[in-house]
C-alpha cells in the first residue's frame, strides 16, 4: 500500500534552549532533520515524504535533501502557526483522490528504530491505522484538588509518532477540526474528535522527542556514539 510520510518541521524550538530551530542543529555531523529523514528514506514501506517547514527554510531543506540523498521527498510546503496547521498544509498538497496511508512523524524524533518503523507501517496496512505509543512502565500519579491519585499503568500510554491513518479519514478529521475550531496536540486527537477509532502500536523508548535541554543533551550523546 502507498504510504506517504508527512514530517512537520516548522517549529521554532523555543523550549529547547537552543539559539536556532533544533531541527537544523547539527548532531554527530549532520542536522537533526537529516537523521529523521534518513530513517524514512531507508524504510522500504515508505513511498514518499512531504515536509512542512518555515518559508525561510524551504530552500535549505531542499539543499540538505540533495546533499544527503533523500530522494523520496515529493514536496516541501510552508508550515503554519501550530503543528496542526503545518500537517494540514502538507496533507492538503496531496491529490484528494489519494488512496493510501499517511504516516505523520515529528521531525524532532530522529531515532525511531528502523525495524519498529517498518513493523508499524505493516501493522497499519493490515489494520488501517497505527498510533505509536509507549506503555507506561513507572508508577503513575495524578495530582488533583484532593491530593494524589494513582493511575492504572496497564491502561496508560505515552503517545509518540508516527501516527498512521487512512488518508481519507485523516483529511476528514482535519476538515471537521477546522470547521469547529478544534485544535489538538496530535492527529489522534483529531481522529477521535471526528469519531474514528484507531489501533495502538508499541513504539520505542529511542523514539523520544527532542524537546527540552535534557533531550538535546541525550540526543547529543547518542548521536556522537553513532
Ligand atoms: O512543538 P512540538 O514539540 O509539538 O512539535 C512537534 C513537531 O511539529 C516538530 O517536529 C516541530 O518542528 C513541528 N511543528 C511544526 N509547525 C509548528 C510547530 C511545530 O511543523 N508550527
Amino acid at each position: 500500500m502507498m504510504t506517504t510520510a508527512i514530517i512537520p518541521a516548522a517549529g521554532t524550538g523555543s523550549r529547547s534552549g537552543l539559539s536556532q530551530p533544533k531541527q537544523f542543529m547539527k548532531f554527530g555531523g549532520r542536522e537533526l532533520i537529516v537523521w529523521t529523514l534518513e530513517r524514512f528514506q531507508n524504510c522500504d514501506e515508505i513511498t514518499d515524504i512531504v515536509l512542512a517547514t518555515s518559508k525561510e527554510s524551504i530552500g535549505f531543506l531542499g539543499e540538505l535533501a540533495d546533499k544527503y540523498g533523500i530522494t523520496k521527498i515529493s514536496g516541501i510546503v510552508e508550515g503554519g502557526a501550530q503543528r496542526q496547521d503545518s500537517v494540514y498544509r502538507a496533507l492538503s498538497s496531496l491529490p484528494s483522490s489519494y488512496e493510501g496511508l499517511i504516516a505523520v512523524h515529528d521531525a524532532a524524533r530522529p531515532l525511531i528504530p528502523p525495524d519498529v518503523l517498518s513493523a508499524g507501517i505493516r501493522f497499519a496496512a493490515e489494520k488501517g491505522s497505527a498510533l505509536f505509543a509507549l506503555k507506561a512502565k513507572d508508577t503513575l500519579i495524578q495530582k488533583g484538588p484532593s491530593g494524589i491519585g494513582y493511575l492504572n499503568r496497564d491502561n496508560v500510554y505515552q503517545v509518540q509518532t508516527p501516527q498512521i491513518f487512512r488518508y481519507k479519514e485523516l483529511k476528514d478529521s482535519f476538515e471537521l477540526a477546522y470547521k469547529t475550531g478544534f485544535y489538538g496536540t496530535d492527529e489522534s486527537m483529531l481522529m477521535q474528535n471526528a469519531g474514528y477509532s484507531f489501533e495502538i502500536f508499541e513504539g520505542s523508548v529511542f523514539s523520544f522527542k527532542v524537546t527540552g535541554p535534557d533531550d538535546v543533551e541525550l540526543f547529543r550523546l547518542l548521536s556522537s556514539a553513532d
Side-chain angles (χ1 to χ4, degrees), residues 74-100:
S74 56
I76 306 180
V77 304
E78 187 183 341
Q82 312 254 2
R83 180 186 181 285
Q84 178 172 321
D85 305 317
S86 298
V87 173
Y88 186 57
R89 287 189 180 184
L91 194 63
S92 303
S93 73
L94 296 173
S96 55
S97 58
Y98 186 65
E99 293 284 350

Side-chain angles (χ1 to χ4, degrees), residues 53-181:
T53 194
S54 63
K55 200 175 182 175
E56 317 72 75
S57 305
I58 291 178
F60 180 56
L61 209 41
E63 285 167 25
L64 287 179
D66 287 346
K67 181 172 171 191
Y68 291 98
I70 312 294
T71 54
K72 285 189 184 171
I73 294 177
S74 56
I76 306 180
V77 304
E78 187 183 341
Q82 312 254 2
R83 180 186 181 285
Q84 178 172 321
D85 305 317
S86 298
V87 173
Y88 186 57
R89 287 189 180 184
L91 194 63
S92 303
S93 73
L94 296 173
S96 55
S97 58
Y98 186 65
E99 293 284 350
L101 295 171
I102 302 293
V104 182
H105 186 70
D106 294 325
R109 293 185 193 268
L111 293 178
I112 179 155
D115 56 334
V116 178
L117 176 58
S118 289
I121 299 171
R122 288 199 298 270
F123 175 93
E126 196 187 318
K127 310 263 186 193
S129 59
L131 177 69
F132 283 52
L134 264 192
K135 203 166 196 319
K137 285 191 289 200
D138 302 308
T139 296
L140 296 169
I141 58 172
Q142 185 171 34
K143 260 168 73 178
S146 53
I148 282 173
Y150 288 82
L151 300 177
N152 180 354
R153 67 182 170 199
D154 292 338
N155 300 324
V156 179
Y157 290 80
Q158 212 175 316
V159 175
Q160 303 186 322
T161 69
Q163 305 199 353
I164 311 175
F165 304 111
R166 292 190 184 96
Y167 164 81
K168 286 196 169 29
E169 293 182 4
L170 187 59
K171 187 90 189 298
D172 189 43
S173 303
F174 267 95
E175 278 162 8
L176 181 71
Y178 281 112
K179 229 178 264 168
T180 55

Side-chain angles (χ1 to χ4, degrees), residues 178-190:
Y178 281 112
K179 229 178 264 168
T180 55
F182 181 84
Y183 266 84
T185 48
D186 74 350
E187 289 63 53
S188 73
M189 282 173 78
L190 306 191

